[in-house]
Amino acid sequence: MGFSELLQEVGGFGRYQWLHVTLISIPGLLMASQNLLNNFVSGIPTHHCRLPANHSFYNLSHLQLLRAFIPLDSSGSRLDRCRRFVEPQWQLLALNSSANISQIQTEECLDGWTFDRSEFLATTVSEVTVRTLNADEGSMFLLFMNIILHSLFNRFGRRSVLIWSYLQLGVLGCSSALSPSYSTYCVFRFLSGMAVSGVILNGVSLKVEWIPTRERTLVGTLTSFFFTFGQMILAGLAYWLRDWRKLQVVVCAPQFLFFAYSWWYSESARWLVLKRRSEDALKSLHRVARINGKPEIVEKLTLEVLHSHMKKEMDSSRLSHTAYDLLRTRGMRRISICLVAVWFSTSFAYYGLAMDLQKFGVSIYLMQIIFGFVDFPAKLLALGMLSYLGRRVSQAACLFLSALIIFANIFVPADMQTVRTTLACLGKGFTSASFTTVYLYTGELYPTVIRQTGMGFVSTMARIGSMAAPAVLILDEVFPALPSVVYGGAAVLAGCFACFLPETLNIPLPDTIEDVEDKWLAVSSISSASFY
């Protein structure tokens, strides 16, 4: 007997669980906005060097002035973004001019830049005229904060940190729109990144720990569609507003609404019991039973019954658990090492594709919608695989398929842009399905006593992956196919590691490290093909 049986007694997946899961999932609509915001907030508009201040004295059209003052780039089809002629080249205005432009002296943009406002009205790049890596400014800060925060999650509980994270993200996110300088904006984004981590990690754990075993796969996959819808909402908002400050406020202000209703959540009864707060856990279970229409259970479910169901877990909770437990035993060590590889590579490939939308030569707003739409069939496929093939096969298959598509794109000629874009969308779809799987899988693999510690640890690896992904794009200047080789190779390596993870399909959540190790020892003596 364990907590899974208690959940069934208080109503299984009843009215409370429906409301609970829905309310926690709704903020996911705007988590995509937080993770992919830089595609629009720090988008790089088409630009060229600003013409000299006295250019109005010339009785010429704007196009003629550009031809005389601004050279073409290496492709010969666009104006150079960062150079201008030292002296105006009037001879280039002649219709049959054959001047050797490569021999003409140029200089940097001494007077700043002129930005095209057809795609973006204002971005951080156009306002501060600084080119930044197209990555989340919060990633570096979040990398370090994840290591610190996972211990706070276990200390203060899922509900409390989640409530605080909503408030923090709302305040700091809206404040970043008022930033007087780019450095101030980065500071606010750093702090917002910490709150994003709190929302995602605590939301996942709080959902999983109130869901019965049988419904976890369906609920975990379906709720991931909130993130998918969020990508399309982001594209619509960005297209409508076109100004980074307005967009920043619109995607962060709803966090105050989430903060207001999050007080309705019940703290994880599993966590409360393991923290020796059985009375509070019993109150939470009684509340859930009443909402689920099971008032008769309130009288039957006493402290003695609760303790009898969770005696083993309570005995284990007397021990002090730290991040060291993730690597202390054979089973936990194997799980943690494999999950590190899977999280890093999934995030690495996902953000490598999703945060470089401007390279496809299509409207960035349209590409964001396409990239969001492709997640629907990919996640439905993941749902079927998770339900019938299990977590391990699904995780490995998504990674291998994404790698195959990324490698295939290498051999498509550059002029076949439609084919390249289609393959990129498919690759992004499978990496998204991999994300859906690994979030559910990780919550099922780590025991309750260190679930938040484990989630924080592996999500740190995901942040490293998202930070490294844009940097790899620089390799495109060395060899155009090199970024795809790196992204695809990482996915293949992670797929191999996923094959060594244990299966958790239709298995109750482990509450203690001993639960994991007992099942590990029982199965490893028979076969290394499965874990539980």
Side-chain angles (χ1 to χ4, degrees):
M1 297 289 284
F3 190 79
S4 297
E5 288 74 15
L6 283 178
L7 278 182
Q8 293 299 331
E9 290 184 17
V10 298
F13 196 82
R15 187 183 299 115
Y16 173 82
Q17 278 73 16
W18 276 107
L19 289 170
H20 177 77
V21 168
T22 302
L23 292 176
I24 292 179
S25 299
I26 288 175
L29 291 171
L30 295 176
M31 286 303 103
S33 298
Q34 298 298 329
N35 288 343
L36 301 174
L37 193 61
N38 259 36
N39 277 336
F40 305 98
V41 167
S42 294
I44 304 174
T46 301
H47 59 277
H48 57 77
C49 293
R50 186 173 297 159
L51 297 177
N54 62 348
H55 74 274
S56 59
F57 290 107
Y58 303 107
N59 188 22
L60 297 170
S61 69
H62 183 67
L63 291 178
Q64 288 176 316
L65 288 172
L66 289 178
R67 185 169 176 79
F69 280 95
I70 311 296
L72 298 178
D73 63 10
S74 58
S75 69
S77 60
R78 295 177 299 183
L79 295 176
D80 194 293
R81 293 185 172 194
C82 301
R83 308 291 297 180
R84 72 181 186 185
F85 295 126
V86 175
E87 298 291 339
Q89 304 299 309
W90 307 119
Q91 73 276 15
L92 296 179
L93 299 182
L95 293 177
N96 298 321
S97 175
S98 58
N100 188 354
I101 298 178
S102 62
Q103 302 298 322
I104 301 176
Q105 187 177 5
T106 61
E107 62 185 1
E108 295 180 353
C109 300
L110 301 179
D111 300 316
W113 290 263
T114 297
F115 291 90
D116 177 46
R117 292 168 61 88
S118 62
E119 190 170 39
F120 305 104
L121 292 179
T123 71
T124 57
V125 175
S126 64
E127 286 196 5
V128 301
T129 61
V130 172
R131 177 165 183 170
T132 58
L133 277 176
N134 194 14
D136 180 9
E137 288 92 344
S139 290
M140 180 65 76
F141 186 71
L142 188 54
L143 169 63
F144 298 105
M145 289 310 299
N146 270 347
I147 300 173
I148 299 172
L149 282 178
H150 60 62
S151 60
L152 297 180
F153 297 159
N154 273 332
R155 180 176 179 181
F156 296 106
R158 286 73 159 126
R159 176 179 176 272
S160 298
V161 179
L162 184 56
I163 292 173
W164 172 257
S165 297
Y166 289 142
L167 179 62
Q168 181 177 336
L169 184 54
V171 172
L172 296 175
C174 291
S175 298
S176 64
L178 306 175
S179 303
S181 65
Y182 187 70
S183 57
T184 305
Y185 171 75
C186 287
V187 170
F188 281 126
R189 283 292 287 165
F190 286 166
L191 297 172
S192 297
M194 178 180 67
V196 170
S197 175
V199 171
I200 294 176
L201 299 182
N202 284 281
V204 169
S205 290
L206 199 57
K207 280 189 294 186
V208 166
E209 293 178 3
W210 277 112
I211 299 175
T213 302
R214 189 174 55 186
E215 287 81 12
R216 280 204 312 262
T217 302
L218 180 63
V219 173
T221 305
L222 292 182
T223 54
S224 71
F225 282 104
F226 283 85
F227 188 90
T228 299
F229 276 114
Q231 297 178 60
M232 304 173 79
I233 290 173
L234 173 62
L237 291 174
Y239 182 80
W240 171 46
L241 298 169
R242 304 288 182 111
D243 183 286
W244 75 271
R245 294 184 188 272
K246 293 178 181 177
L247 180 60
Q248 186 77 44
V249 170
V250 168
V251 300
C252 292
Q255 302 299 325
F256 293 110
L257 172 62
F258 306 148
F259 167 76
Y261 74 61
S262 61
W263 294 89
W264 181 84
Y265 300 156
S266 291
E267 180 58 88
S268 167
R270 291 175 182 269
W271 179 83
L272 289 170
V273 170
L274 296 176
K275 288 298 178 180
R276 317 300 295 174
R277 293 170 57 184
S278 299
E279 293 82 2
D280 293 333
L282 189 63
K283 290 178 182 178
S284 292
L285 287 167
H286 285 172
R287 178 174 180 248
V288 171
R290 284 192 292 268
I291 295 175
N292 282 342
K294 298 279 187 177
E296 70 279 3
I297 299 298
V298 175
E299 297 297 328
K300 298 179 181 178
L301 186 54
T302 63
L303 278 177
E304 290 73 18
V305 174
L306 178 62
H307 290 166
S308 66
H309 277 74
M310 301 194 68
K311 184 178 184 303
K312 181 180 179 180
E313 291 82 355
M314 293 178 64
D315 291 339
S316 174
S317 68
R318 295 189 177 94
L319 302 175
S320 176
H321 293 287
T322 65
Y324 171 69
D325 290 309
L326 297 175
L327 301 172
R328 179 169 57 87
T329 62
R330 183 184 178 188
M332 296 309 307
R333 186 161 53 247
R334 182 167 180 171
I335 288 172
S336 296
I337 291 173
C338 291
L339 285 177
V340 162
V342 172
W343 276 80
F344 174 87
S345 298
T346 298
S347 181
F348 184 61
Y350 181 91
Y351 287 104
L353 294 169
M355 297 191 72
D356 195 30
L357 301 184
Q358 288 183 289
K359 74 176 182 181
F360 292 103
V362 181
S363 167
I364 188 173
Y365 306 103
L366 178 60
M367 280 305 304
Q368 184 65 69
I369 290 176
I370 294 173
F371 265 30
F373 184 79
V374 76
D375 283 4
F376 286 100
K379 289 183 177 182
L380 288 175
L381 175 62
L383 174 59
M385 294 174 66
L386 286 167
S387 300
Y388 296 102
L389 300 180
R391 279 55 162 156
R392 178 173 50 196
V393 173
S394 300
Q395 188 72 74
C398 288
L399 288 165
F400 286 138
L401 287 171
S402 65
L404 180 64
I405 292 171
I406 292 172
F407 285 142
N409 219 355
I410 296 175
F411 302 100
V412 178
D415 57 347
M416 299 179 65
Q417 194 62 46
T418 302
V419 177
R420 293 181 62 84
T421 302
T422 301
L423 288 176
C425 289
L426 290 174
K428 190 263 184 183
F430 281 115
T431 55
S432 180
S434 178
F435 250 134
T436 299
T437 303
V438 77
Y439 266 110
L440 175 64
Y441 205 2
T442 303
E444 294 177 339
L445 285 169
Y446 281 124
T448 303
V449 291
I450 56 170
R451 183 166 292 120
Q452 287 302 89
T453 301
M455 292 288 288
F457 176 65
V458 294
S459 69
T460 299
M461 300 301 107
R463 282 294 165 178
I464 295 176
S466 67
M467 289 162 52
V472 173
L473 296 173
I474 300 174
L475 299 175
D476 183 77
E477 300 177 4
V478 179
F479 182 60
L482 202 51
S484 295
V485 171
V486 176
Y487 293 140
V492 169
L493 184 63
C496 293
F497 273 98
C499 293
F500 292 95
L501 283 169
E503 182 54 68
T504 60
L505 178 62
N506 295 327
I507 299 296
L509 289 178
D511 285 312
T512 67
I513 294 175
E514 289 70 23
D515 287 343
V516 175
E517 295 305 314
D518 289 345
K519 293 167 185 175
W520 166 264
L521 293 174
V523 177
S524 62
S525 62
I526 301 174
S527 170
S528 61
S530 61
F531 183 81
Y532 286 108

